[in-house]
Amino acid sequence: MFRNQYDTDVTTWSPAGRLFQVEYAMEAVKQGSAAIGLRSKTHVVLGCVNKANSELSSHQKKIFKVDDHIGVAIAGLTADGRVLSRYMRNECINYSFTYEAQLPVGRLVVQLADKAQVCTQRSWKRPYGVGLLVGGLDESGAHLYYNCPSGNYFEYQAFAIGSRSQAAKTYLERRFENFADSSRDDLVKDALMAIRETLQGETLTSSICTVAVLGVGEPFHILDQATVKQIIDSFEIAGEQEDPAGEPDAAAGQEAAADEQGGAADQGGSTDQGVAPMDI
């Protein structure tokens, strides 16, 4: 995407009917570190990848508590995410003070979408360069919404945003039919497996991911690293126990493929490694 005379402000439409600044904001979401959300009938799990800008710095927080029954995971510009999470927190406090009840998740998402959409109508504003996965629990059950910088919002059973999120979406699409009846621990495990899909060869450890849980009788909270490490170790050990049974067949298949393809396969494999873009 290149600069042109139609991206100087957000209210200028191109001849093709596009708002370039809105597209730039959506591109910022795609370049951010991955965030994942999934829900069952009683629980919502949010997860994100922790990426530091350098070895000398710590990572930025990507999951925020809004209220006991609502939390958000963000991808994109963290500063915009903090501003919007503070707005959501204030709305929940005001509603609770006025009506002495918890703010319905759907109503908060609509208010957030309206706030984002106003930024696409005023020439002196810019779109928020952040996507939010809003997980919540109210009288109608568990909910998971995705709020787009354009002001659109969608409800999902499971979703992933950010860098390399397509791999996580593929995993979630294979498994989403089981999520409705899944237990809390199974949801957390599926969230970690989806996060691992976005790492592209990197080892999943408790230090490079954050997981938060919300459910019936369980207020929104972020799991500590020790708990996450135990869960990761449990399904890695289970995977190692399943591997030996299939090793002979896999080895035979690899030898046959190597004989048929010759050196071309090796050459193609070497060019595919290390070409993934760095996270921003």
Side-chain angles (χ1 to χ4, degrees):
M1 201 176 296
F2 56 89
R3 291 190 58 84
N4 53 63
Q5 67 267 37
Y6 300 109
D7 64 356
T8 54
D9 64 70
V10 74
T11 59
T12 302
W13 294 82
S14 73
R18 299 165 61 183
L19 289 174
F20 285 105
Q21 284 206 7
V22 175
E23 294 184 12
Y24 295 161
M26 297 172 70
E27 187 65 24
V29 177
K30 295 179 182 178
Q31 296 295 329
S33 56
I36 292 164
L38 55 161
R39 68 178 174 92
S40 66
K41 294 179 180 178
T42 57
H43 288 81
V44 180
V45 176
L46 300 176
C48 69
V49 178
N50 301 330
K51 288 292 184 180
N53 292 329
S54 73
E55 296 180 358
L56 301 178
S57 68
S58 63
H59 65 272
Q60 290 183 310
K61 188 177 179 181
K62 298 286 186 179
I63 295 181
F64 302 95
K65 178 180 178 180
V66 176
D67 201 351
D68 286 340
H69 69 298
I70 296 177
V72 297
I74 68 171
L77 299 181
T78 310
D80 287 354
R82 288 198 302 268
V83 169
L84 292 177
S85 64
R86 188 182 305 116
Y87 165 78
M88 297 168 68
R89 200 173 294 123
N90 289 335
E91 291 298 314
C92 287
I93 293 173
N94 293 337
Y95 188 93
S96 177
F97 179 80
T98 304
Y99 301 103
E100 297 183 359
Q102 291 182 333
L103 176 61
V105 183
R107 181 177 298 184
L108 178 61
V109 168
V110 171
Q111 293 175 352
L112 181 64
D114 289 342
K115 184 177 178 64
Q117 200 274 334
V118 168
C119 294
T120 68
Q121 289 184 306
R122 306 288 187 266
S123 61
W124 59 89
K125 292 180 178 288
R126 66 165 179 83
Y128 291 105
V130 64
L132 296 95
L133 290 176
V134 183
L137 187 70
D138 55 23
E139 295 179 352
S140 59
H143 300 279
L144 176 68
Y145 291 91
Y146 168 55
N147 278 77
C148 185
S150 63
N152 289 318
Y153 64 93
F154 310 91
E155 185 170 10
Y156 288 94
Q157 184 72 42
F159 198 58
I161 58 176
S163 176
R164 303 171 186 167
S165 62
Q166 186 57 50
K169 289 179 187 177
T170 302
Y171 174 82
L172 295 173
E173 287 169 0
R174 293 199 308 264
R175 301 271 301 170
F176 81 96
E177 293 180 352
N178 302 323
F179 291 161
D181 299 321
S182 292
S183 65
R184 172 190 181 275
D185 294 337
D186 289 339
L187 278 183
V188 174
K189 186 179 296 185
D190 282 323
L192 289 170
M193 294 289 285
I195 290 174
R196 187 170 69 173
E197 294 293 323
T198 68
L199 298 179
Q200 288 191 348
E202 297 180 42
T203 303
L204 177 64
T205 61
S206 59
S207 61
I208 65 172
C209 66
T210 303
V211 178
V213 180
L214 165 68
V216 176
E218 184 177 10
F220 183 87
H221 67 284
I222 297 176
L223 300 181
D224 58 84
Q225 285 195 2
T227 304
V228 175
K229 185 177 186 302
Q230 291 178 356
I231 299 172
I232 294 174
D233 292 341
S234 66
F235 66 67
E236 285 186 348
I237 292 173
E240 290 176 358
Q241 292 176 349
E242 294 174 359
D243 286 344
E247 282 181 358
D249 295 338
Q254 290 176 357
E255 291 177 0
D259 293 339
E260 292 177 0
Q261 296 179 0
D266 295 336
Q267 184 177 357
S270 63
T271 56
D272 288 342
Q273 295 178 357
V275 298
M278 294 181 62
D279 290 329
I280 297 177

